[in-house]
Amino acid sequence: MRIVVLAGGIGGARFLRGLKKAAPDADISVIGNTGDDIHLFGLKVSPDLDTVMYTLGGGINEDQGWGRTDETFKVKEELAAYGVGPDWFGLGDRDFATHIVRTQMLGAGYPLSAVTQALCERWRPGVRLIPMSDDRVETHVAVTIDGEQKAVHFQEYWVRLRASVDAQAVVPVGAEQAKPAPGVLEAIAEADVVLFPPSNPVVSVGTILAVPGIREAIADAGVPVVGLSPIVGDSPVRGMADKVLAAVGVETSAAAVAEHYGSGLLDGWLVDTVDEKAVERVESAGIRCRAVPLMMTDLDATAEMARQALALASEVRA
Ligand code: FO1
């Protein structure tokens, strides 16, 4: 079975671990979000691609869900000693090597998709990890701080500001001019099922869908598209998705996120058992809905979620 997954960071990566367990023989292509990418110290950092690569490759810092395990921060300390910022983004020594290799290859003319493939030669994630685009897309967030309106890079909003101020707008800068990376549209066209994992619907899945051609390819692929709600009991399971959902006028609920994606895109939607009451509203939006446990407490729980998503896909296919 050929499965395509639109993945962001931590939630998407963790879901993929369960999907691999639930469908060990499946051919899984992951379309990774690159709107979180940031240039720091002359290096290109791709947080969501790295989180998927490290998580599936066994190098992730499990507690954080990002960055490397057994990490040290000597380079970060030395940069701070030179007064070279920013100091709010925790780049570890091992992680720096990934960004050095990525930046070196980009500088040599390799596209991000080729760079990602090369980095995965080492990590062997067991999926085909394709960036949504080889073109530069960076999510910026419009905020008002001390009465001054400005746009900050998503990472500054997420990590330095901790989403402590309201997001007035979330803009994937460059998305309109971006093209799907080689392999993205092919993977969708050949897929037997497309899954939206419990990633951030605005800054992760939403950013991938903002690349012209990707939303249309999924909607026209004629294969089941099934999503899993990242919102459980009217609040995000992790992260601060509610902040960016508000920016796009979407209520923080499992049903509202399904409606946000729309029945033109989604055929099925899994909500957590605590959101059983949302099933009817989602079904009335023309999206098949089922309430199952959605907390990724361990690998078995996550694998069961993945099995439920694949079961719903075969149900809607029928
Ligand atoms: N998230 C944090 O909350 N604090 C950090 O210092 C931080 C550093 C970091 C470094 C590399 C990387 O790949 C990810 C990092 N993240 C950090 C997570 C990152 O902000 C998120 O993974 C995504 O951008 C949102 O999904």
Side-chain angles (χ1 to χ4, degrees):
M1 179 192 339
R2 291 183 295 264
I3 305 172
V4 166
V5 183
L6 273 59
I10 300 157
R14 287 203 172 135
F15 173 76
L16 283 162
R17 240 185 341 212
L19 178 63
K20 280 175 66 180
K21 181 172 167 67
D25 303 331
D27 171 285
I28 302 172
S29 297
V30 178
I31 301 175
N33 170 44
T34 60
D36 291 7
D37 290 7
I38 184 167
H39 286 77
L40 293 171
F41 314 113
L43 299 173
K44 177 168 168 90
V45 180
S46 297
D48 281 358
L49 297 180
D50 291 347
T51 289
V52 170
M53 185 172 74
Y54 291 156
T55 299
L56 300 186
I60 195 78
N61 176 312
E62 202 59 56
D63 300 337
Q64 285 175 174
W66 51 266
R68 283 295 314 282
T69 186
D70 303 328
E71 192 53 286
T72 52
F73 293 88
K74 296 286 178 257
V75 173
K76 184 174 188 299
E77 288 159 19
E78 290 300 305
L79 287 163
Y82 280 115
V84 171
D87 62 358
W88 45 264
F89 200 70
L91 286 176
D93 298 326
R94 293 178 187 276
D95 200 28
F96 263 110
T98 301
H99 314 315
I100 291 168
V101 171
R102 177 181 295 116
T103 307
Q104 186 176 330
M105 287 188 70
L106 289 171
Y110 291 94
L112 182 60
S113 47
V115 174
T116 305
Q117 207 170 340
L119 293 170
C120 286
E121 282 302 304
R122 170 189 174 188
W123 290 102
R124 304 227 165 277
V127 302
R128 183 181 312 107
L129 178 55
I130 318 171
M132 68 188 197
S133 175
D134 282 337
D135 301 317
R136 184 168 174 174
V137 178
E138 286 190 10
T139 300
H140 286 242
V141 182
V143 295
T144 300
I145 296 177
D146 303 331
E148 185 202 346
Q149 192 167 34
K150 61 182 184 172
V152 294
H153 188 284
F154 169 75
Q155 292 299 347
E156 182 168 1
Y157 179 72
W158 204 250
V159 177
R160 188 174 74 79
L161 298 174
R162 286 260 162 262
S164 57
V165 295
D166 288 347
Q168 282 148 3
V170 176
V171 184
V173 176
E176 298 87 41
Q177 293 78 29
K179 289 185 300 304
V184 165
L185 298 183
E186 293 80 353
I188 294 168
E190 291 158 14
D192 298 305
V193 58
V194 176
L195 299 179
F196 290 8
S199 285
N200 189 303
V202 178
V203 294
S204 293
V205 178
T207 303
I208 298 169
L209 294 172
V211 175
I214 293 182
R215 173 189 288 271
E216 297 79 0
I218 294 170
D220 301 345
V223 294
V225 180
V226 171
L228 298 93
S229 178
I231 305 296
V232 169
D234 298 347
S235 64
V237 173
R238 182 190 175 97
M240 301 156 272
D242 46 332
K243 286 285 189 175
V244 290
L245 280 166
V248 296
V250 177
E251 137 205 323
T252 300
S253 74
V257 174
E259 291 165 349
H260 173 61
Y261 284 134
S263 58
L265 204 50
L266 273 189
D267 300 303
W269 186 246
L270 292 183
V271 301
D272 188 82
T273 44
V274 302
D275 294 308
E276 172 80 44
K277 64 193 180 310
V279 171
E280 191 183 337
R281 174 173 158 190
V282 177
E283 293 253 323
S284 62
I287 300 164
R288 191 78 62 82
C289 187
R290 197 177 280 172
V292 299
L294 284 190
M295 299 307 283
M296 297 191 281
T297 45
D298 59 26
L299 185 56
D300 287 341
T302 310
E304 182 53 26
M305 285 164 55
R307 262 190 290 277
Q308 290 288 348
L310 294 175
L312 184 52
S314 53
E315 189 186 310
V316 299
R317 181 200 321 270

